[in-house]
């Protein structure tokens, strides 16, 4: 299952059901779970852990040193969750000491060709990054979020669950869950209705989220005023609480 031209460090822990293609390089202190496929000419750098049933296509660069001037070679890590698909020429960097020392790619992520995930980023479950999307350092992306092609996200930004960011957007502030954002600079364009229906959110849930969205973003209230009105006027289902809490606790500021 390992091509004879591949270069594998003796300390790497590789399950017997892993496939590694021609001229791939696997460096020291790497773990690769069962059923994972590593494409030809791919490099898996030091201190990387890859879950089961992942597909990493040719020429990907996984676990390289952070592109951070404060990084001076200290040990840091990258983890990739089970079932993730990483396409051609994707680059993912390890963490930094200042950012907690670890970059985390969640389960069942789909990273399309030429995407970049910088140091100390964390992605949730079933996140999609379309071609050439770029995450700067310390970004957090919630479950089921979709990032369009050629999107650039500023460091320390947070993207909420089920959010959708349209292609060629520049994102400099936090994006709440359940919404669509697009543009340079990105602005909000309502709820991600199509995505939420595909994930089988009920009409009632969509209705309550729409009420909360209108209160926060359509009638000119402050965050505190809007939060109080949402608590008083909108059913406090988990999705509404998630939406409200994300906005209220944002330290970077919310995209409007």
């Amino acid at each position: 299952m390992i091509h004879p031209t591949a270069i594998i460090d003796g300390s790497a822990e590789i399950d017997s059901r892993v496939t590694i293609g021609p001229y791939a390089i696997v460096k020291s202190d790497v773990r690769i779970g069962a059923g994972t496929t590593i494409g030809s000419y791919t490099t898996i750098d030091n201190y990387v852990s890859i879950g089961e049933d992942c597909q990493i296509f040719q020429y990907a660069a996984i676990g390289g040193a952070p592109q951070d001037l404060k990084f001076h070679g200290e040990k840091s890590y990258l983890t990739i969750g089970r079932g993730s698909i990483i396409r051609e020429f994707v680059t993912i960097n390890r963490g930094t000491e200042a950012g907690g020392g670890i970059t985390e790619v969640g389960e069942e992520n789909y990273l399309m060709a030429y995407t970049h995930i910088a140091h100390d980023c964390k992605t949730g479950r079933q996140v999609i990054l379309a071609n050439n999307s770029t995450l700067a350092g310390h970004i957090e992306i919630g479950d089921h979020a979709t990032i369009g092609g050629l999107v650039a996200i500023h460091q320390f930004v947070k993207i909420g669950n089920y959010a959708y960011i349209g292609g060629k957007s520049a994102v400099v502030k936090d994006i709440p869950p359940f919404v669509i954002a697009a543009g340079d600079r990105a602005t909000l364009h309502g709820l991600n209705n199509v995505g939420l229906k595909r994930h089988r959110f009920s009409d009632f849930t969509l209705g309550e989220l729409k009420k909360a969205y209108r209160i926060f973003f359509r009638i000119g209230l402050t965050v505190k005023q809007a939060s109080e009105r949402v608590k008083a006027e909108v059913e406090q289902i988990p999705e509404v609480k998630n939406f409200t809490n994300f906005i209220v606790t944002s330290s970077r500021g919310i995209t409007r």
Side-chain angles (χ1 to χ4, degrees):
M1 306 295 282
I2 298 177
H3 195 275
T5 62
I7 301 173
I8 313 295
D9 188 275
S11 69
E13 298 180 19
I14 300 172
D15 189 273
S16 60
R17 290 166 287 175
V18 169
T19 299
I20 300 178
Y23 302 102
I25 298 173
V26 179
K27 296 187 178 181
S28 62
D29 299 295
V30 169
R31 295 182 179 181
I32 304 177
T36 289
T37 300
I38 308 296
S40 58
Y41 295 96
T42 289
T43 298
I44 311 296
D45 228 303
N46 310 90
Y47 313 121
V48 173
S49 177
I50 302 171
E52 297 181 353
D53 299 318
C54 293
Q55 299 177 56
I56 301 179
F57 283 67
Q58 57 268 29
Y59 296 101
I62 308 300
Q67 298 178 104
D68 187 329
L69 294 175
K70 300 186 296 295
F71 181 77
H72 299 294
E74 59 268 21
K75 185 182 291 187
S76 62
Y77 301 91
L78 164 65
T79 64
I80 297 174
R82 175 193 61 79
S84 290
I85 298 173
I86 298 173
R87 294 301 303 252
E88 300 84 351
F89 298 98
V90 168
T91 55
I92 310 174
N93 295 157
R94 302 193 312 274
T96 64
E97 187 175 22
I102 186 168
T103 302
E104 300 178 59
V105 176
E107 293 186 350
E108 299 178 351
N109 280 205
Y110 197 116
L111 311 183
M112 298 184 192
Y114 292 94
T115 57
H116 173 69
I117 297 179
H119 57 88
D120 305 297
C121 289
K122 294 177 173 59
T123 68
R125 188 170 181 269
Q126 292 188 356
V127 170
I128 297 174
L129 271 62
N131 303 77
N132 290 283
S133 55
T134 303
L135 309 188
H138 309 279
I139 289 168
E140 296 182 21
I141 298 183
D143 296 343
H144 307 285
T146 298
I147 313 301
L150 297 165
V151 168
I153 305 180
H154 196 282
Q155 57 261 45
F156 294 101
V157 162
K158 296 182 180 180
I159 309 295
N161 299 339
Y162 297 95
Y164 184 99
I165 301 177
K168 295 182 67 178
S169 296
V171 181
V172 298
K173 292 186 177 182
D174 293 347
I175 304 291
F178 311 115
V179 304
I180 288 178
D184 181 12
R185 299 300 194 252
T187 57
L188 300 188
H189 295 268
L191 292 182
N192 179 18
N193 286 307
V194 173
L196 296 177
K197 289 177 181 178
R198 286 176 177 171
H199 283 95
R200 299 182 180 179
F201 282 79
S202 69
D203 289 340
F204 174 77
T205 297
L206 293 177
E208 297 307 297
L209 284 171
K210 185 176 181 179
K211 292 178 188 176
Y213 182 95
R214 180 180 179 276
I215 291 170
F216 270 107
F217 298 115
R218 291 286 187 251
I219 55 178
L221 301 177
T222 67
V223 168
K224 183 178 180 181
Q225 291 169 337
S227 174
E228 292 172 351
R229 281 195 58 172
V230 167
K231 289 179 181 178
E233 300 176 17
V234 182
E235 188 75 25
Q236 294 300 294
I237 57 178
E239 293 81 3
V240 169
K241 289 182 178 180
N242 182 2
F243 184 78
T244 301
N245 185 65
F246 185 100
I247 295 170
V248 170
T249 61
S250 170
S251 59
R252 184 166 180 81
I254 294 292
T255 299
R256 293 265 178 179

